[in-house]
Amino acid sequence: QVQLVESGGGLVQAGGSLRLSCAASGSMFSIFSINTMGWYRQAPGHQRELVASIAGLGRTNYADAVKGRFTISRDNVKNTVYLQMNKLKPEDTAVYYCNVGARGDDYWGQGTQVTVSS
């Protein structure tokens, strides 16, 4: 089992920045089994969508809508994944969820609200 705790959401004006963090904890075996870490988001009336992911060796993947504005990174010592969000737009408003893959299972954080005002 892996537990995920997210932080860093909030309200920001368009053009501003936010940094999300997601810390993973659990048994040593589970933590060592973590492979891909990522962020998804879900806006009202929309399906949950991938924002960005980062594999264990650092390969990253971004949704087209955030390329050039968001940066995902991870600290494997702290078992934490980050999402630096710059040049935020109102359409980035959503609940952001941390996701971790470990031993074929998916784990989700509780979600953190990001609201971008115009």
Side-chain angles (χ1 to χ4, degrees), residues 37-68:
M37 306 180 83
W39 291 93
Y40 287 70
R41 67 186 181 186
Q42 187 167 18
H46 290 77
Q47 289 187 334
R48 192 173 296 188
E49 62 178 4
L50 174 68
V51 176
S53 64
I54 182 167
L57 296 180
R59 184 174 62 185
T60 58
N61 180 44
Y62 294 94
D64 287 343
V66 307
K67 284 181 180 177

Side-chain angles (χ1 to χ4, degrees), residues 2 6 8 17 20 26 36 49 67 84 92 102 108 111 114-115 117:
V2 176
E6 301 154 348
S17 299
L20 305 183
T36 300
E49 62 178 4
K67 284 181 180 177
Q84 178 66 43
D92 294 319
W108 294 90
V114 171
T115 302
S117 63

Side-chain angles (χ1 to χ4, degrees), residues 65-117:
V66 307
K67 284 181 180 177
R69 299 188 298 121
F70 291 10
T71 302
I72 190 170
S73 60
R74 64 190 285 172
D75 184 329
N76 290 329
V77 174
K78 296 181 179 179
N79 303 314
T80 299
V81 61
Y82 305 96
L83 186 68
Q84 178 66 43
M85 304 184 294
N86 299 328
K87 300 178 182 179
L88 282 160
K89 303 175 180 180
E91 50 263 44
D92 294 319
T93 295
V95 178
Y96 284 69
Y97 296 91
C98 176
N99 172 267
V100 162
R103 299 177 64 208
D105 292 326
D106 271 331
Y107 297 91
W108 294 90
Q110 78 283 2
T112 185
Q113 177 70 45
V114 171
T115 302
V116 184
S117 63

